[in-house]
Amino acid sequence: MQSIDNQEFGQFLAQLRKEKGMTQKQLAEQLFLSDKAISKWERGLSLPDISLLMPLSKIFNVTTTELLCGKRIAINAQFSIDEVDAIMSKTITLSKDEIEKKEHSKQIRIRIFIGSICIFIAELILFLVSGHSISTIRESVYTVELLMAISGTYFTFFAKEELPIYYDSNHISQYTHGVFRMNIPGVHLNNSNWNHIVKTVHLTTMIIFTIFPLLYFSLSSFFPRLWESGELFFTLGAVLAMFIPICIVGKKYE
């Protein structure tokens, strides 16, 4: 199976960008990416997702076939069967690479999830050894830990890697998948920001999942009055700490 030549693609992309008089940052902004991603493409270090071929072709007024081949093709050019097979092979390879990237990203999320569970178990053991009872721990951290555990589990194992195409053409702020519901007011969900949102939700929930018990342990042990008077504030703060990064990332890559 023939694959895309990273160097040829990168050089062709750089040529098209310069012909348009665009900087890497300007191109990145149109694609809702960082200029570092554009730089990697042009240096042949990586390739864009297959979903970005069409936007790139529109920006530079070339065909996706020309992007795959890394050169301009005459309008009246005729392709042999072997050449068509080679182009299709490159498309399939790019799609396969994209699937492998998503699988790798999911494996990283699974490792973080397992590591967070292990840390939480170690924290529980520490609490019990320190004289805290299960009932006290449950009353103090149950709400936050349950919410983070549910969100972390979903975005580790069950979250969709892509949104349906109608999300890209409509202003939709609600995500529904089975019994799971998520609404982000003011943020329009689409395939430009969804992958960033999934990563952000997962990482944020796992951080809160492991840090909140330590916050409870520290304050209840050394500043018990502060914990008693501010328990509701700390609980609400933990929940807000999950949603604020989601809104920021969702809006940034919208």
Side-chain angles (χ1 to χ4, degrees):
M1 185 175 290
Q2 189 171 353
S3 60
I4 298 176
D5 188 306
N6 289 27
Q7 294 297 330
E8 285 185 2
F9 178 89
Q11 291 172 6
F12 185 51
L13 182 65
Q15 175 190 330
L16 294 172
R17 178 179 59 76
K18 291 173 183 176
E19 288 176 0
K20 274 275 189 179
M22 299 176 64
T23 64
Q24 291 182 344
K25 184 176 182 180
Q26 289 172 331
L27 176 57
E29 288 174 349
Q30 291 198 36
L31 297 172
F32 304 102
L33 299 170
S34 68
D35 52 355
K36 291 181 180 179
I38 308 300
S39 176
K40 286 183 178 180
W41 297 349
E42 294 187 356
R43 288 183 289 152
L45 300 179
S46 64
L47 291 168
D49 290 343
I50 193 170
S51 61
L52 293 174
L53 289 182
M54 188 62 71
L56 282 170
S57 69
K58 290 181 178 180
I59 291 172
F60 297 120
N61 195 28
V62 296
T63 65
T64 54
T65 300
E66 288 174 313
L67 286 172
L68 290 169
C69 293
K71 61 182 180 181
R72 294 188 185 277
I73 300 173
I75 296 176
N76 58 350
Q78 299 293 321
F79 293 97
S80 66
I81 294 177
D82 288 341
E83 288 173 328
V84 173
D85 284 342
I87 294 171
M88 291 301 298
S89 178
K90 289 179 179 180
T91 305
I92 294 171
T93 301
L94 188 59
S95 180
K96 181 181 178 183
D97 290 342
E98 184 180 346
I99 293 173
E100 289 177 351
K101 286 180 183 177
K102 289 178 179 178
E103 183 60 30
H104 178 66
S105 179
K106 185 172 184 178
Q107 290 301 318
I108 292 176
R109 295 202 301 270
I110 291 174
R111 294 191 189 102
I112 293 175
F113 179 82
I114 294 174
S116 300
I117 294 296
C118 292
I119 292 173
F120 178 68
I121 292 174
E123 289 172 342
L124 284 181
I125 294 174
L126 175 63
F127 295 164
L128 294 175
V129 170
S130 301
H132 290 74
S133 66
I134 289 292
S135 60
T136 302
I137 296 172
R138 184 172 62 247
E139 291 172 1
S140 301
V141 302
Y142 176 80
T143 302
V144 172
E145 293 302 283
L146 180 62
L147 176 60
M148 298 305 147
I150 292 174
S151 298
T153 300
Y154 176 79
F155 282 96
T156 298
F157 300 102
F158 306 110
K160 292 181 179 179
E161 297 295 334
E162 291 185 7
L163 294 174
I165 192 67
Y166 59 81
Y167 272 85
D168 294 333
S169 54
N170 296 279
H171 292 170
I172 302 174
S173 299
Q174 185 175 30
Y175 169 74
T176 302
H177 184 201
V179 298
F180 187 86
R181 301 285 188 277
M182 183 174 72
N183 185 36
I184 311 177
V187 176
H188 300 144
L189 303 178
N190 53 59
N191 283 298
S192 294
N193 61 14
W194 179 244
N195 186 46
H196 298 284
I197 289 174
V198 170
K199 291 179 180 178
T200 301
V201 175
H202 178 263
L203 185 59
T204 303
T205 54
M206 291 297 92
I207 290 174
I208 297 173
F209 182 72
T210 54
I211 288 181
F212 191 75
L214 292 177
L215 176 66
Y216 156 71
F217 178 73
S218 301
L219 293 181
S220 62
S221 298
F222 302 104
F223 306 99
R225 290 185 179 179
L226 177 61
W227 174 260
E228 290 174 4
S229 61
E231 183 176 351
L232 179 60
F233 171 80
F234 293 125
T235 300
L236 293 176
V239 175
L240 285 176
M242 179 180 71
F243 283 102
I244 291 175
I246 298 173
C247 294
I248 293 174
V249 169
K251 204 65 183 175
K252 178 180 179 180
Y253 295 99
E254 187 177 77

